[in-house]
PDB file of all heavy atoms in Angstrom:
ATOM      1  N   MET A 477     176.545 190.523 279.748  1.00 98.00           N
ATOM      2  CA  MET A 477     175.274 190.547 280.490  1.00 98.00           C
ATOM      3  C   MET A 477     175.463 191.167 281.875  1.00 98.00           C
ATOM      4  O   MET A 477     174.636 191.938 282.348  1.00 98.00           O
ATOM      5  CB  MET A 477     174.718 189.120 280.637  1.00 98.00           C
ATOM      6  CG  MET A 477     173.668 188.771 279.629  1.00 98.00           C
ATOM      7  SD  MET A 477     172.199 189.820 279.789  1.00 98.00           S
ATOM      8  CE  MET A 477     171.878 190.285 278.121  1.00 98.00           C
ATOM      9  N   ALA A 478     176.571 190.794 282.538  1.00 98.00           N
ATOM     10  CA  ALA A 478     176.826 191.354 283.875  1.00 98.00           C
ATOM     11  C   ALA A 478     176.992 192.870 283.777  1.00 98.00           C
ATOM     12  O   ALA A 478     176.451 193.627 284.592  1.00 98.00           O
ATOM     13  CB  ALA A 478     178.075 190.713 284.489  1.00 98.00           C
ATOM     14  N   VAL A 479     177.724 193.326 282.763  1.00 98.00           N
ATOM     15  CA  VAL A 479     177.993 194.764 282.614  1.00 98.00           C
ATOM     16  C   VAL A 479     176.691 195.520 282.363  1.00 98.00           C
ATOM     17  O   VAL A 479     176.352 196.476 283.069  1.00 98.00           O
ATOM     18  CB  VAL A 479     178.999 195.017 281.453  1.00 98.00           C
ATOM     19  CG1 VAL A 479     179.061 196.488 281.074  1.00 98.00           C
ATOM     20  CG2 VAL A 479     180.383 194.491 281.818  1.00 98.00           C
ATOM     21  N   VAL A 480     175.929 195.090 281.354  1.00 98.00           N
ATOM     22  CA  VAL A 480     174.765 195.907 280.977  1.00 98.00           C
ATOM     23  C   VAL A 480     173.664 195.828 282.034  1.00 98.00           C
ATOM     24  O   VAL A 480     173.037 196.847 282.349  1.00 98.00           O
ATOM     25  CB  VAL A 480     174.227 195.571 279.562  1.00 98.00           C
ATOM     26  CG1 VAL A 480     175.248 195.918 278.505  1.00 98.00           C
ATOM     27  CG2 VAL A 480     173.800 194.110 279.432  1.00 98.00           C
ATOM     28  N   ASN A 481     173.436 194.643 282.595  1.00 98.00           N
ATOM     29  CA  ASN A 481     172.357 194.548 283.598  1.00 98.00           C
ATOM     30  C   ASN A 481     172.717 195.335 284.856  1.00 98.00           C
ATOM     31  O   ASN A 481     171.887 196.049 285.419  1.00 98.00           O
ATOM     32  CB  ASN A 481     172.091 193.082 283.965  1.00 98.00           C
ATOM     33  CG  ASN A 481     171.270 192.391 282.893  1.00 98.00           C
ATOM     34  OD1 ASN A 481     170.572 193.040 282.115  1.00 98.00           O
ATOM     35  ND2 ASN A 481     171.372 191.078 282.827  1.00 98.00           N
ATOM     36  N   THR A 482     173.967 195.187 285.300  1.00 98.00           N
ATOM     37  CA  THR A 482     174.358 195.863 286.540  1.00 98.00           C
ATOM     38  C   THR A 482     174.317 197.372 286.360  1.00 98.00           C
ATOM     39  O   THR A 482     173.744 198.096 287.189  1.00 98.00           O
ATOM     40  CB  THR A 482     175.788 195.453 286.957  1.00 98.00           C
ATOM     41  OG1 THR A 482     175.859 194.039 286.979  1.00 98.00           O
ATOM     42  CG2 THR A 482     176.161 196.014 288.311  1.00 98.00           C
ATOM     43  N   LEU A 483     174.916 197.849 285.266  1.00 98.00           N
ATOM     44  CA  LEU A 483     174.992 199.306 285.119  1.00 98.00           C
ATOM     45  C   LEU A 483     173.628 199.895 284.752  1.00 98.00           C
ATOM     46  O   LEU A 483     173.349 201.053 285.058  1.00 98.00           O
ATOM     47  CB  LEU A 483     176.064 199.675 284.094  1.00 98.00           C
ATOM     48  CG  LEU A 483     177.478 199.307 284.570  1.00 98.00           C
ATOM     49  CD1 LEU A 483     178.502 199.563 283.482  1.00 98.00           C
ATOM     50  CD2 LEU A 483     177.846 200.067 285.844  1.00 98.00           C
ATOM     51  N   TRP A 484     172.796 199.093 284.121  1.00 98.00           N
ATOM     52  CA  TRP A 484     171.434 199.581 283.838  1.00 98.00           C
ATOM     53  C   TRP A 484     170.680 199.802 285.163  1.00 98.00           C
ATOM     54  O   TRP A 484     169.991 200.798 285.325  1.00 98.00           O
ATOM     55  CB  TRP A 484     170.680 198.560 282.970  1.00 98.00           C
ATOM     56  CG  TRP A 484     169.298 199.039 282.637  1.00 98.00           C
ATOM     57  CD1 TRP A 484     168.937 199.832 281.578  1.00 98.00           C
ATOM     58  CD2 TRP A 484     168.105 198.795 283.392  1.00 98.00           C
ATOM     59  NE1 TRP A 484     167.585 200.092 281.631  1.00 98.00           N
ATOM     60  CE2 TRP A 484     167.043 199.470 282.732  1.00 98.00           C
ATOM     61  CE3 TRP A 484     167.819 198.085 284.551  1.00 98.00           C
ATOM     62  CZ2 TRP A 484     165.728 199.449 283.189  1.00 98.00           C
ATOM     63  CZ3 TRP A 484     166.510 198.063 285.017  1.00 98.00           C
ATOM     64  CH2 TRP A 484     165.478 198.735 284.335  1.00 98.00           C
ATOM     65  N   GLY A 485     170.843 198.858 286.106  1.00 98.00           N
ATOM     66  CA  GLY A 485     169.973 198.888 287.280  1.00 98.00           C
ATOM     67  C   GLY A 485     170.584 199.414 288.566  1.00 98.00           C
ATOM     68  O   GLY A 485     169.850 199.769 289.490  1.00 98.00           O
ATOM     69  N   PHE A 486     171.914 199.454 288.657  1.00 98.00           N
ATOM     70  CA  PHE A 486     172.534 199.733 289.964  1.00 98.00           C
ATOM     71  C   PHE A 486     173.554 200.869 289.915  1.00 98.00           C
ATOM     72  O   PHE A 486     174.130 201.155 288.863  1.00 98.00           O
ATOM     73  CB  PHE A 486     173.294 198.487 290.458  1.00 98.00           C
ATOM     74  CG  PHE A 486     172.401 197.331 290.822  1.00 98.00           C
ATOM     75  CD1 PHE A 486     172.091 196.358 289.884  1.00 98.00           C
ATOM     76  CD2 PHE A 486     171.875 197.207 292.108  1.00 98.00           C
ATOM     77  CE1 PHE A 486     171.283 195.279 290.213  1.00 98.00           C
ATOM     78  CE2 PHE A 486     171.068 196.124 292.446  1.00 98.00           C
ATOM     79  CZ  PHE A 486     170.767 195.164 291.498  1.00 98.00           C
ATOM     80  N   ASN A 487     173.800 201.425 291.089  1.00 98.00           N
ATOM     81  CA  ASN A 487     174.992 202.246 291.318  1.00 98.00           C
ATOM     82  C   ASN A 487     175.892 201.465 292.271  1.00 98.00           C
ATOM     83  O   ASN A 487     175.402 200.846 293.222  1.00 98.00           O
ATOM     84  CB  ASN A 487     174.646 203.578 291.970  1.00 98.00           C
ATOM     85  CG  ASN A 487     173.890 204.477 291.004  1.00 98.00           C
ATOM     86  OD1 ASN A 487     174.272 204.623 289.843  1.00 98.00           O
ATOM     87  ND2 ASN A 487     172.797 205.068 291.473  1.00 98.00           N
ATOM     88  N   ILE A 488     177.196 201.516 292.006  1.00 98.00           N
ATOM     89  CA  ILE A 488     178.143 200.804 292.881  1.00 98.00           C
ATOM     90  C   ILE A 488     178.990 201.876 293.562  1.00 98.00           C
ATOM     91  O   ILE A 488     179.642 202.685 292.895  1.00 98.00           O
ATOM     92  CB  ILE A 488     179.045 199.873 292.046  1.00 98.00           C
ATOM     93  CG1 ILE A 488     178.173 198.904 291.245  1.00 98.00           C
ATOM     94  CG2 ILE A 488     180.023 199.110 292.938  1.00 98.00           C
ATOM     95  CD1 ILE A 488     178.902 198.190 290.138  1.00 98.00           C
TER      96      ILE A 488
END
Side-chain angles (χ1 to χ4, degrees):
M477 262 297 133
V479 167
V480 295
N481 282 338
T482 308
L483 294 175
W484 181 87
F486 292 92
N487 291 314
I488 303 165

